[in-house]
Amino acid sequence: MRSTGAPEGHRLGRSGGEADGHRAARPVTVETGETGPERVVLAGLADRLDADGSETLQELVRLAETAGAVVVDQVVQRRARPDPATWVGSGKVEEIRARAASAGAETVIFDHELSPAQQRNLERALETKVLDRTALVLDIFAQRARSREGRLQVELAQMTYRLPRLAGRGVLLSRLGGGIGTRGPGETKLEADRRRIRTRITELKGEIATLSRHRSRQRQLRKDAALPVVALVGYTNAGKSTLLNTLTEADVFTADKLFATLDPTTRRVVLPNHRSVLLVDTVGFIQRLPHDLVAAFRATLEEVTEADVLIHVIDASHPRWPDQRAAVEQVLRDLGADGRPTVVVFNKTDRLGRDGVRDLMAEEPEGIPVSALRGVGLVNLLRAVSKRLPDPMRRVRLAIPYEDGAVLAQLYAVGRVLKRDGGAEGLVVDAELPETAVGRFRRYLVGGKRPDAAES
């Protein structure tokens, strides 16, 4: 039988939390009634860059397969602008319904974020479960998150996404109007669901804020240890985790799937100039990354905004790598990290051949060609990182006579003053200075014992 509405028990679109009071069941195929992958039809609108929509839906195919679904059909409509009621036109809705029925599909997934009203209208018209791109990405994140912080962030994004989509469900359950004596059970359940989700959102934000403060303390400890942080960023499946594994002999899970890893991993790397840095692997980005997801993962993505250098890993073998690069740069702008020193790395060059690599470097001479899988070009990458890093900081103690008070202003200008005390003959200052600036203050440097200083 065809599904009517949006059943809770399917694998795709599950909540990831316990607000509904039960776990999602495994999917059931339409043809056999036995446990198996969920059968889905994909639908989207063609854009100007992709007249037939095939490339547009190709990423949605990968996303659906990553979520564990089987794509049985694809429908693309060439349309100047979306229909405000159903995203695609009414005629195309009927076509999707017929093709979903013919293919025995349980779910239709649209390659865009639908409004709550559009989703409800489509579910009624198609008589099947309807998901959008955002719900699909959230489902994948729910499968991939392993750490407590990651699971909390995914659940927060899902709850924030679901809250406005509860509207109207109560109307389906009760036709009674508002007012005294007319409050039906459907509306009561709807309000109860809303309160439960709002309460859970508040709880999740509090727990994530606590973890964010802990992560902030960890970053401060790294700064105190004078260890620069280098963050790997890039489109999903660009090879960031493989690069981390190759550089550090880490054992981060890798697979030819979208969002293979979510939780950030940090490892130490020694650069060719013998300077140690911390290399952080971060979640991959995609085009139209859900806003709720970016907001929920902001605590984790602070690793990007606080990094000393970014390594932007690009899959050079992908036919649309310029679009992927632009999507990543847009997310970095949204996070406020677009001004960070960045090394652009073109990965998977082993798939291009010599001529392909030569053409790529002629087009992008500032990029570093590498193959993380083959271990090719990594020394050049690390050298480029060394050049982008800020000068290493050195903690020093200085005794500054009162008559040389202008020196203190110079310290504030080039370094960071940690502590200052007044002694009998001048100031005793603990500061952090760039290694290249220490020589300017050499005459004021003192050894291990502090000179005479006033009691604090």
Side-chain angles (χ1 to χ4, degrees), residues 29-47:
T29 58
V30 174
E31 295 93 344
T32 64
E34 298 175 353
T35 299
E38 190 167 353
R39 299 169 65 85
V40 302
V41 172
L42 307 183
L45 298 180
D47 56 34

Side-chain angles (χ1 to χ4, degrees), residues 307-321:
D308 296 286
V309 173
L310 303 180
I311 297 178
H312 183 172
V313 183
I314 298 171
D315 179 359
S317 67
H318 196 282
R320 299 186 69 171
W321 67 258

Side-chain angles (χ1 to χ4, degrees), residues 42 50 53-66 71 74 111 133 136-137 140 235-237 258-259 285-289 318 320 323-324 327:
L42 307 183
D50 181 19
S54 58
E55 278 296 328
T56 299
L57 288 186
Q58 193 57 43
E59 182 167 85
L60 193 65
V61 171
R62 293 290 310 277
L63 289 169
E65 291 173 347
T66 299
V71 178
Q74 302 178 40
D111 191 28
R133 182 186 178 92
L136 179 60
V137 172
I140 296 171
Y235 211 79
T236 181
N237 205 38
L258 305 185
F259 304 114
F285 303 145
I286 60 169
Q287 292 177 346
R288 304 194 299 278
L289 191 66
H318 196 282
R320 299 186 69 171
D323 295 336
Q324 295 184 348

